[in-house]
Amino acid sequence: MNLNINWYPGHMKKTSDSIRENLKKVDLAFELVDARAPRATENPLLKELLGDKKRILIFNKADLADPETNKKWLAYYKENNIPAVELNSNTGKGIPELMKEVHKTMEEKRARDVDRGIISKQVRAMIIGVPNVGKSTLINSLAKKKSTKTGNTPGVTRTNQWIKVGEDLLLLDTPGVLWPKFESEELALHLAYIGSIKDEVLPKEDVALKLVEHLSDHYPDLLEKRFKIKIQGRPLETMEEIARKRGAIMRRSEIEYTRVTDIILDEFRKATIGRISLEEPNV
């Protein structure tokens, strides 16, 4: 499967331009990555846009990823002097640690402001990340109300929104943005597995088959336990075994590939199969 594709819808180009324009209005950026695929979801385009702007990396959806791999990633960020916070934006776990990191990051700027006679407690932060990484859910959790639309479909947020969080924090939400071209098939697949690329963009059944192959290699026990199967010789045979166990069968005992594809991707994305990480840091 050749996934060296060009991908740059018009609204993503507009988002990139908007981020560049609005960076001068904020003190720092919250960049969200998906804990299951931190490398794939750390957009190189955003790094370029941010330049010297202070950044806190939010290791989101940590509850869906392998806890031992989470520890490795957080150690990697610490070793590389990248401010990072492990977070579950659905429950709010990790938000106190995020706010502590905000105050720590802003200490130097506040000291300069005081020297210039400027007294301001409010911090302006921009939330950035690829689609479906949990930006709107985090904002709603921080604001303790439904301030933005959320969903499992990439591209739900289409406009910039300012949201006030208490007296100290003002957030600028931005739509998810991808980069123009996926050079790595592996990273493109990881984005597809977690739903950061719309399912219509890549061959969905091929994506599910590749995911079965990955899980068979790295998390065989979880795959077998969840679907009550024994991993077969080839990924396609394993996928067909899952279909039979789940009743994804048409007349004449033919496999209903569309249905079993949806089952596999849905249960992976919801962590029903288990807590799974797709990537480990290069240490």
Side-chain angles (χ1 to χ4, degrees), residues 153-168:
T153 303
V156 169
T157 303
R158 286 299 183 91
T159 58
N160 296 324
Q161 305 177 67
W162 283 102
I163 298 99
K164 188 175 182 182
V165 178
E167 297 299 319
D168 297 341

Side-chain angles (χ1 to χ4, degrees), residues 13-234:
K13 172 66 166 62
K14 291 178 183 176
T15 297
S16 299
D17 293 343
S18 178
I19 288 173
R20 186 180 288 107
E21 182 182 334
N22 283 298
L23 272 172
K24 54 192 160 188
K25 301 176 184 176
V26 300
D27 302 303
L28 75 161
F30 293 163
E31 182 178 2
L32 274 73
V33 297
D34 190 307
R36 295 167 295 179
R39 190 174 294 109
T41 53
E42 192 174 356
N43 187 338
L45 177 63
L46 293 177
K47 280 186 180 180
E48 181 184 325
L49 288 174
L50 288 175
D52 295 330
K53 184 69 68 175
K54 290 189 179 296
R55 171 185 72 143
I56 297 174
L57 189 141
I58 298 177
F59 197 68
N60 197 32
K61 302 189 181 183
D63 57 308
L64 305 182
D66 186 326
E68 291 304 312
T69 306
N70 287 351
K71 291 177 186 176
K72 293 179 185 178
W73 274 108
L74 292 171
Y76 169 82
Y77 294 134
K78 184 175 182 179
E79 186 178 321
N80 287 275
N81 297 313
I82 300 171
V85 177
E86 184 177 3
L87 200 137
N88 177 350
S89 55
N90 280 312
T91 65
K93 184 178 180 182
I95 286 179
E97 289 75 15
L98 172 61
M99 296 311 298
K100 286 179 187 175
E101 193 62 49
V102 169
H103 293 304
K104 179 181 175 182
T105 302
M106 293 303 298
E107 279 177 0
E108 186 180 329
K109 180 181 183 299
R110 281 178 170 160
R112 288 200 309 269
D113 286 347
V114 168
D115 289 343
R116 294 161 56 196
I118 302 171
I119 307 297
S120 175
K121 291 184 178 180
Q122 190 176 73
V123 175
R124 290 176 170 241
M126 176 186 289
I127 294 195
I128 57 176
V130 303
N132 206 31
V133 80
K135 298 183 297 297
S136 297
T137 304
L138 173 61
I139 287 177
N140 292 338
S141 188
L142 282 166
K144 296 182 173 59
K145 61 182 180 180
K146 192 169 183 180
S147 304
T148 64
K149 292 181 180 179
T150 63
N152 291 323
T153 303
V156 169
T157 303
R158 286 299 183 91
T159 58
N160 296 324
Q161 305 177 67
W162 283 102
I163 298 99
K164 188 175 182 182
V165 178
E167 297 299 319
D168 297 341
L169 186 61
L170 192 62
L171 296 174
L172 177 61
D173 187 21
T174 61
V177 60
L178 291 166
W179 52 105
K181 189 176 184 180
F182 302 137
E183 299 292 349
S184 163
E185 177 178 305
E186 180 184 48
L187 294 187
L189 281 168
H190 292 179
L191 289 167
Y193 296 157
I194 64 176
S196 287
I197 301 172
K198 288 183 178 180
D199 287 333
E200 297 80 14
V201 173
L202 300 177
K204 193 175 178 182
E205 291 176 8
D206 290 349
V207 169
L209 182 61
K210 284 285 190 179
L211 177 57
V212 168
E213 182 178 359
H214 180 91
L215 298 180
S216 298
D217 291 341
H218 298 281
Y219 292 92
D221 293 345
L222 290 181
L223 191 64
E224 290 184 340
K225 183 178 179 181
R226 176 60 192 169
F227 294 110
K228 298 180 174 59
I229 62 164
K230 285 292 181 184
I231 291 172
Q232 305 299 306
R234 295 186 301 152

Side-chain angles (χ1 to χ4, degrees), residues 224-249:
E224 290 184 340
K225 183 178 179 181
R226 176 60 192 169
F227 294 110
K228 298 180 174 59
I229 62 164
K230 285 292 181 184
I231 291 172
Q232 305 299 306
R234 295 186 301 152
L236 181 59
E237 293 170 343
T238 300
M239 188 173 179
E240 290 173 345
E241 186 65 15
I242 293 170
R244 283 187 280 269
K245 283 288 183 179
R246 289 301 182 86
I249 303 293

